[in-house]
């Protein structure tokens, strides 16, 4: 078992890009992790380290635990790795089984049970950041605060954050927590614009034809005001802009990529990085070559004009 360095204030030492480990660990079924899975994970993690990634994002459910387990194997094989990185994982989603439907569970008992599993699979003593994966309709802030307090006191978790939660939910949880929420991981990309649209199009006469989830109102602003690090999952839009002929928006992405002598993926990430909230894109490719090419994003500063050109192209209609 290897020891972690403590995080400094919030997430200040982790850099602009996060690597998401959902593509590691083989299939989503029950087959054991193979040497080929370990080699793929090793190549992906090395590529991420090469482009400056220091924070690696997990969830207890990724590949049904095998993403964390294969990462644990990498940590065992490279004794120096743990001290160079920060590890984040999530809990709260429970898959359906013979007896139960799929559900969310942010009860104290399940949070504590989940963290023990995460630590075991990653083979670490302390998780740097625990995210509550999705809002649980039955969640109670005081119960969550109690569980986090016990985990923190036991040295098992450094910081608490959330995922897929809007401003009202962050504010509500924070009323019970003794420490600040450090991160919120949302789906945000040129293919998923709700959190940005809600701030720009609230009085759009055409909004009825393009409804925006009003619940996202104020989420980006809350995070900036309270120092909650925003992380964008789906940051590569799951490859949807890969083909310039696929859509008008993809064509614009590729034109801007060409002007910057880079890839479409780097433009997608640069678009997120240009936002003043300091959004950290979470890169989910399992392909080492594609991961390395993402490094360009930190060297590109999009102009306001290009940022809006991409935004409007992705919306598919002019701003009001
Ligand atoms: N908090 C949450 O609820 C939540 C939900 C989902 C994911 N996440 C986290 O966010 C990370 C990223 O999310 P994500 O995987 O949904 O999104 P993503 O990074 O946008 O997409 C990754 C997927 O897109 C493919 N892709 C990317 N660029 C491509 C290209 N140019 N051509 C073809 N395929 C391309 C990748 O294939 P290759 O592997 O072949 O490159 C991979 O399957 C995950 O690893 C996970 O850590 C969080």
């Amino acid at each position: 078992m290897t020891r972690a360095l403590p995080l400094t204030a919030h997430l200040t030492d982790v850099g602009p890009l996060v690597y998401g480990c959902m593509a590691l660990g083989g299939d989503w079924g029950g087959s054991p992790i193979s040497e080929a899975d370990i080699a793929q994970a090793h190549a992906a993690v090395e590529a991420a380290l090469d482009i400056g990634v220091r924070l690696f994002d997990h969830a207890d459910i990724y590949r049904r635990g095998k993403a964390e387990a294969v990462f644990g194997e990498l940590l065992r094989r490279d004794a120096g790795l743990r001290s160079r990185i920060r590890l984040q994982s999530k809990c709260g989603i429970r898959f359906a089984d013979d007896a139960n439907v799929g559900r969310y569970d942010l009860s104290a008992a399940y949070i504590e049970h989940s963290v023990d599993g995460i630590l075991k699979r990653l083979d670490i003593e302390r998780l740097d950041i625990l995210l509550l994966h999705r809002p649980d309709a039955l969640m109670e802030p005081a119960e969550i605060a109690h569980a986090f307090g016990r985990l923190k006191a036991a040295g098992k978790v450094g910081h608490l954050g959330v995922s897929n939660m809007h401003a009202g939910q962050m504010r509500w949880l924070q009323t019970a927590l003794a420490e600040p929420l450090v991160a919120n991981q949302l789906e945000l990309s040129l293919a998923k614009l709700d959190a940005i649209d809600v701030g720009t199009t609230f009085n759009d006469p055409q909004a009825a034809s393009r409804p925006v989830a009003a619940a996202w109102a104020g989420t980006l602003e809350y995070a900036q005001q309270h120092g909650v690090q925003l992380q964008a999952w789906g940051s590569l839009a799951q490859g949807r802009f890969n083909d310039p002929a696929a859509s008008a928006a993809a064509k614009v992405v590729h034109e801007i990529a060409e002007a910057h002598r880079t890839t479409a993926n780097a433009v997608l990430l640069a678009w997120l990085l240009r936002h003043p909230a300091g959004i950290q894109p979470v890169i989910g490719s399992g392909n080492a070559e594609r991961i390395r090419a993402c490094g360009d994003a930190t060297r590109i500063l999009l102009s306001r004009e290009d940022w809006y050109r991409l935004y409007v192209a992705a919306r598919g209609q002019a701003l009001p």
Side-chain angles (χ1 to χ4, degrees):
M1 186 158 328
T2 47
R3 275 191 179 277
L5 283 179
L7 273 176
T8 57
H10 291 296
L11 308 187
T12 52
D13 66 343
V14 294
L17 301 173
V18 177
Y19 182 68
C21 297
M22 192 169 74
L24 310 184
D27 63 24
W28 284 83
S31 54
I33 293 168
S34 67
E35 276 302 322
D37 297 333
I38 297 169
Q40 181 246 352
H42 180 253
V45 168
E46 286 299 313
L49 292 168
D50 284 352
I51 61 168
V53 167
R54 300 208 52 212
L55 179 60
F56 288 81
D57 176 65
H58 286 271
D60 52 357
I61 57 168
Y62 293 165
R63 312 278 155 163
R64 294 188 180 266
K66 291 194 296 178
E68 290 173 337
V70 78
F71 208 99
E73 184 58 29
L74 299 186
L75 291 170
R76 276 189 293 277
R77 290 186 186 196
D78 178 353
L81 180 59
R82 180 68 185 101
S83 61
R84 294 161 61 200
I85 62 172
R86 304 289 177 252
L87 287 167
Q88 167 176 287
S89 192
K90 318 182 195 75
C91 70
I93 297 180
R94 302 186 76 163
F95 288 137
D97 53 36
D98 291 345
N100 297 292
V101 296
R103 61 211 182 277
Y104 305 135
D105 191 342
L106 294 179
S107 63
Y110 191 68
I111 291 173
E112 291 188 52
H113 167 78
S114 303
V115 168
D116 285 339
I118 290 167
L119 296 177
K120 192 163 179 227
R121 285 186 295 277
L122 286 169
D123 199 4
I124 56 174
E125 291 173 352
R126 178 180 181 272
L127 183 68
D128 297 311
I129 306 160
L130 175 69
L131 301 186
L132 307 174
H133 206 153
R134 296 194 71 92
D136 167 9
L138 303 180
M139 68 186 178
E140 296 182 46
E143 187 179 2
I144 290 170
H146 178 70
F148 177 62
R150 282 171 51 93
L151 289 166
K152 178 101 185 175
K156 294 180 178 180
V157 172
H159 298 275
L160 186 68
V162 297
S163 179
N164 303 303
M165 292 203 195
H166 58 64
Q169 290 163 328
M170 285 191 278
R171 192 179 295 115
W172 186 48
L173 280 179
Q174 194 62 72
T175 58
L177 289 165
E179 292 192 31
L181 291 169
V182 297
N184 187 3
Q185 190 177 106
L186 304 172
E187 186 178 13
L188 188 55
S189 74
L190 282 176
K192 188 69 179 174
L193 295 166
D194 291 350
I196 290 177
D197 274 348
V198 75
T200 56
T201 64
F202 66 95
N203 61 349
D204 182 354
Q206 295 185 53
S209 63
R210 230 180 132 269
V212 166
W216 291 114
T219 301
L220 302 189
E221 292 80 358
Y222 179 94
Q224 290 173 86
Q225 185 183 353
H226 296 278
V228 180
Q229 175 66 58
L230 289 164
Q231 300 174 351
W233 68 267
S235 62
L236 302 177
Q238 288 97 10
R240 282 192 201 89
F241 295 96
N242 181 35
D243 176 5
S247 64
K251 187 165 174 277
V252 173
V253 171
H254 283 261
E255 280 171 12
I256 291 177
E258 208 170 300
H260 285 276
R261 297 178 195 284
T262 189
T263 61
N265 275 352
V267 169
L268 297 180
L269 302 181
W271 187 80
L272 291 165
L273 291 170
R274 177 65 179 80
H275 192 279
I279 297 163
Q280 288 177 316
V282 184
I283 299 167
S285 171
N287 175 309
E289 200 181 325
R290 263 205 270 279
I291 297 165
R292 264 199 191 85
C294 287
D296 257 4
T298 56
R299 284 183 267 113
I300 297 168
L301 182 63
L302 292 179
S303 65
R304 275 184 159 267
E305 287 64 37
D306 278 350
W307 192 91
Y308 270 100
R309 190 174 164 221
L310 287 160
Y311 176 36
V312 170
R315 279 170 47 79
Q317 70 184 53
L319 288 162

